[in-house]
Amino acid sequence: AGVPYDIVLEMDELNDDFPDTDVVLVIGANDTVNSAAEDDPNSIIAGMPVLRVWKAEQTIVMKRSLGVGYAAVDNPVFFKPNTSMYLGDAKKQCESLLE
């Protein structure tokens, strides 16, 4: 993505900010933002570090589909009341937002 690493934050540096965040834009991620890692002790990703994007006031997820990620686990975040799904090619969807 061409983002300089010196401005990229670690998960533990960022997670505390989500409850005070108005909007989170998730582009193409699945497992790294899956609340099942924290909320479902029986999930195969239980205990995995994740970005707690669902704690923001509004979360917008851009993905090609509602399909599962690498871990093959459904993502409850996609169905939370504060989440909006923007399905399609993320690059094209981002460009359409700028038009």
Side-chain angles (χ1 to χ4, degrees):
V3 178
Y5 282 103
D6 62 329
I7 67 167
V8 176
L9 299 175
E10 296 293 331
M11 281 188 199
D12 59 346
E13 296 175 294
L14 191 58
N15 271 335
D16 291 339
D17 293 339
F18 286 123
D20 298 319
T21 302
D22 292 328
V23 177
V24 172
L25 182 61
V26 177
I27 302 176
N30 193 336
D31 296 334
T32 58
V33 296
N34 192 327
S35 61
E38 294 191 352
D39 299 340
D40 183 358
N42 297 315
S43 174
I44 62 169
I45 62 170
M48 182 181 97
V50 290
L51 291 165
R52 298 181 189 118
V53 298
W54 61 91
K55 294 192 175 188
E57 185 173 329
Q58 179 70 38
T59 301
I60 301 169
V61 179
M62 299 173 113
K63 286 185 46 123
R64 290 186 186 274
S65 72
L66 291 173
V68 297
Y70 183 78
V73 176
D74 287 327
N75 192 333
V77 172
F78 299 167
F79 306 99
K80 291 191 180 288
N82 66 326
T83 298
S84 298
M85 299 299 296
Y86 195 37
L87 301 178
D89 180 276
K91 181 177 181 183
K92 290 178 183 175
Q93 301 293 57
C94 283
E95 289 171 350
S96 74
L97 291 174
L98 300 173
E99 294 176 352

